Amino acid sequence: MAETMTDLGIAEVLKQFGIEENNNGASTGGHWFNTRGEVIASVSPVDGATIATVNAATEADYEAVVLKAQEGFKAWRQWTAPARGEVVRQLATKLREYKEPLGKLVSYEMGKSYQEGLGEVQEMIDICDFAVGLSRQLHGLTMHSERPGHRMYEQYHPRGIVGIISAFNFPVAVWNWNTALAWVCGDVCVWKPSEKSPITAIACQEITRQVFEANNVPEGVSGLVIGGAELGIAMSNDTRIPLVSATGSTRMGKAVSAAVGARLGTSLLELGGNNAIIITPSADLKIVLPGAVFGAVGTGGQRCTSTRRLIIHEDVYDTFVSAIVNAYGQLKVGNPLDESNHVGPLIDQDAVNAYLKALEDAKAEGGNILVEGGVLEGEGYESGCYVKPAIVEADNSFAIVQHETFAPILYIMKYSGDVTNAIEMQNDVPQGLSSAIMTNSLKESEAFLSAQGSDCGIANVNIGTSGAEIGGAFGGEKETGGGRESGSDAWKIYMRRQTNTINYTDELPLAQGIKFDL
């Protein structure tokens, strides 16, 4: 018999976050609205049980949250950046306290392994730590003026409200990638999480509330609206929201970009990936296998950085194909809260159908199935969301290979000649997020990292495509959207840039030597 929610300890987790059987779907941080929108049921892909329900936010609820965010911004922007950083530091401490229950809830609601759930919460902690240091380093520039007695400098100011639209696959980390930076920059946030993972959003709001109330943070700094696409559309068209950060499909991102661009707002887009690992003749098998396998099946292939394609040199093709097919035979698919399992379920039945359709399309285009896929049935698989990781020998030009399928399907293909041929194949897809090369050749690695090499926002050598460190900017090119989140100087998009010139003389010389005598 399948384990129940109580057996898994989820009931106790929900109690820790104050989550009830039925919950409201809009909050300003310190206040929950009595929402009366459509009832959204969060159904766990682990066992098919309903975790809880949420009454979605209505248009009126959304309006109230945005109005409170506007009020909160006027007060929050007056706090010093280090003072805002101190609040974020305390949030990191609170997340450390809640790491295990929040990680378990992420695993249960989304379906990723418990270790990956813990890893996602650790990412939240890491970005908070990064943001705390950043709060004392929001540097501008000074420059020399061409006019005597003048000084010029640049500084950064908070933008205002940051709208956050997040996806189900990283239900908490991506929200915090945005909020930690936005908050230390002096912005306030309104979050629309995926309606497929609303319960983890409520948990995050509760953790944030505890910290914010203890520090008398103005209400409205952390807003939440739970609901369907209509809330994302409202946010994208709202002129009061200067920046919309959206994570999801390329189709969704194009709609957001068009709406935000039409009002001359700014969008930060993190969209689809079609990520490849190039395997050269000098590649080390013991490095390739874990990188390729985890990249392809981690989170059930539902990461934007998941490995979708292996591009293998013909000289080592048979060796590597044999090794990875053997490795797939050792994978265990099952309850993600059982740490002996490698792969959990897909998020829902729609994802399962997309997976099955992709395999059908690959076969129809001439693909050779090396590791058979399919839906798992029987005890422990009652939710109907567990599928077998599949490997398909394919051509890069196949329509289905050019498309991102959010599922554990790995396409394998062969290249000949030098590495430039493999790089050309890798780049020959619409997406440009993450990429990797496995090689012990300095020439090949440098060619891959050069301007003529990978066209992706992330290019790795001797590690896989999946996963990223907080310290580097995360994002990609082409249909991935061009956005950058997390580390490096990604903070700058959350602020508006201002150039200042100060005249400390008794005269007014004009630039470029222009004379205008009165």
Side-chain angles (χ1 to χ4, degrees):
M1 180 181 294
E3 291 177 288
T4 66
M5 195 165 73
T6 303
D7 295 333
L8 296 171
I10 300 300
E12 180 60 32
V13 168
L14 297 178
K15 186 183 300 183
Q16 288 187 57
F17 295 120
I19 295 168
E20 301 176 347
E21 185 176 338
N22 188 52
N23 301 272
N24 292 314
S27 169
T28 55
H31 171 71
W32 284 92
F33 292 87
N34 186 22
T35 51
R36 305 205 181 276
E38 175 188 2
V39 175
I40 298 173
S42 177
V43 178
S44 171
V46 174
D47 54 14
T50 297
I51 304 171
T53 62
V54 179
N55 296 317
T58 63
E59 290 184 13
D61 298 323
Y62 168 82
E63 182 66 19
V65 170
V66 171
L67 288 174
K68 185 57 70 173
Q70 286 184 300
E71 292 179 23
F73 174 60
K74 292 176 181 178
W76 183 239
R77 67 185 176 185
Q78 296 183 56
W79 286 45
T80 65
R84 297 190 296 254
E86 169 58 18
V87 174
V88 173
R89 185 196 66 78
Q90 292 181 36
L91 178 61
T93 299
K94 188 65 68 173
L95 285 168
R96 287 179 171 91
E97 295 175 14
Y98 282 111
K99 181 175 178 178
E100 290 189 9
L102 184 56
K104 179 174 282 190
L105 185 58
V106 166
S107 176
Y108 187 63
E109 185 173 39
M110 185 269 149
K112 65 177 59 177
S113 74
Y114 178 48
Q115 286 302 314
E116 289 183 82
L118 293 175
E120 183 166 348
V121 181
Q122 186 61 50
E123 282 192 31
M124 301 173 75
I125 295 166
D126 292 343
I127 195 62
C128 285
D129 288 348
F130 178 88
V132 173
L134 181 65
S135 69
R136 294 181 182 270
Q137 300 182 75
L138 300 174
H139 300 310
L141 297 170
T142 61
M143 60 281 293
H144 293 282
S145 172
E146 66 182 47
R147 289 168 284 186
H150 285 60
R151 180 167 69 89
M152 294 179 64
Y153 69 94
E154 291 180 345
Q155 61 179 334
Y156 289 85
H157 294 302
R159 282 182 177 268
I161 303 175
V162 175
I164 302 168
I165 302 172
S166 63
F168 72 86
N169 58 330
F170 280 82
V172 296
V174 171
W175 164 74
N176 205 201
W177 280 12
N178 285 276
T179 55
L181 299 188
W183 286 334
V184 299
C185 289
D187 297 317
V188 301
C189 298
V190 175
W191 179 23
K192 193 207 91 65
S194 170
E195 58 269 37
K196 296 181 180 182
S197 53
I199 305 304
T200 47
I202 294 173
C204 288
Q205 190 74 344
E206 169 59 19
I207 295 170
T208 304
R209 181 197 64 78
Q210 293 178 24
V211 175
F212 279 23
E213 284 190 355
N215 287 274
N216 296 313
V217 172
E219 188 174 350
V221 173
S222 179
L224 174 67
V225 286
I226 297 173
E230 69 280 356
L231 294 178
I233 293 170
M235 186 179 289
S236 299
N237 287 285
D238 196 333
T239 57
R240 297 167 296 181
I241 301 179
L243 172 65
V244 176
S245 174
T247 302
S249 69
T250 296
R251 178 187 57 79
M252 179 274 286
K254 287 180 177 179
V256 170
S257 178
V260 175
R263 60 178 175 85
L264 299 181
T266 301
S267 55
L268 194 172
L269 303 175
E270 298 289 354
L271 311 176
N274 196 344
N275 317 295
I277 297 177
I278 296 171
I279 301 173
T280 72
S282 66
D284 188 337
L285 182 63
K286 70 177 181 293
I287 291 178
V288 173
L289 274 183
V293 174
F294 176 73
V297 308
T299 321
Q302 297 172 112
R303 292 185 175 211
C304 52
T305 56
S306 290
T307 304
R308 309 289 178 200
R309 297 174 293 148
L310 291 186
I311 303 171
I312 309 172
H313 193 275
E314 60 183 359
D315 288 352
V316 292
Y317 186 83
D318 291 341
T319 299
F320 280 112
V321 168
S322 175
I324 198 165
V325 167
N326 180 63
Y328 265 54
Q330 302 172 47
L331 292 174
K332 296 179 180 178
V333 182
N335 188 325
L337 292 172
D338 180 346
E339 295 183 49
S340 68
N341 291 322
H342 302 104
V343 186
L346 298 184
I347 185 65
D348 57 20
Q349 196 59 50
D350 287 342
V352 173
N353 292 339
Y355 157 86
L356 293 173
K357 178 67 164 53
L359 288 175
E360 290 176 6
D361 290 349
K363 291 178 184 177
E365 290 192 75
N368 177 33
I369 306 297
L370 299 179
V371 174
E372 197 73 39
V375 181
L376 292 166
E377 299 176 343
E379 185 175 353
Y381 303 125
E382 289 87 353
S383 71
C385 294
Y386 292 88
V387 301
K388 301 175 186 177
I391 298 178
V392 182
E393 198 172 35
D395 190 280
N396 200 57
S397 64
F398 287 180
I400 191 59
V401 174
Q402 294 281 312
H403 174 76
E404 179 192 41
T405 302
F406 240 44
I409 301 174
L410 180 63
Y411 300 109
I412 293 183
M413 57 204 68
K414 186 184 298 184
Y415 81 96
S416 58
D418 65 25
V419 75
T420 58
N421 295 327
I423 293 171
E424 184 177 344
M425 289 175 64
Q426 179 211 271
N427 293 344
D428 191 23
V429 292
Q431 309 84 1
L433 178 52
S434 187
S435 58
I437 187 170
M438 299 293 185
T439 181
N440 283 324
S441 165
L442 178 62
K443 288 183 178 180
E444 288 179 333
S445 66
E446 289 299 317
F448 180 74
L449 300 175
S450 72
Q452 297 78 39
S454 171
D455 64 1
C456 296
I458 299 169
N460 299 327
V461 177
N462 290 332
I463 62 172
T465 64
S466 187
E469 294 187 31
I470 287 302
F474 179 89
E477 303 301 321
K478 302 190 295 190
E479 287 194 356
T480 303
R484 294 296 185 276
E485 291 176 324
S486 191
S488 185
D489 64 350
W491 62 271
K492 290 182 178 179
I493 199 169
Y494 299 95
M495 305 195 82
R496 59 182 178 88
R497 186 171 181 170
Q498 185 181 81
T499 300
N500 307 113
T501 305
I502 300 171
N503 177 7
Y504 56 89
T505 73
D506 297 326
E507 298 179 354
L508 184 59
L510 302 178
Q512 291 87 42
I514 294 173
K515 302 294 183 182
F516 190 73
D517 296 326
L518 291 178

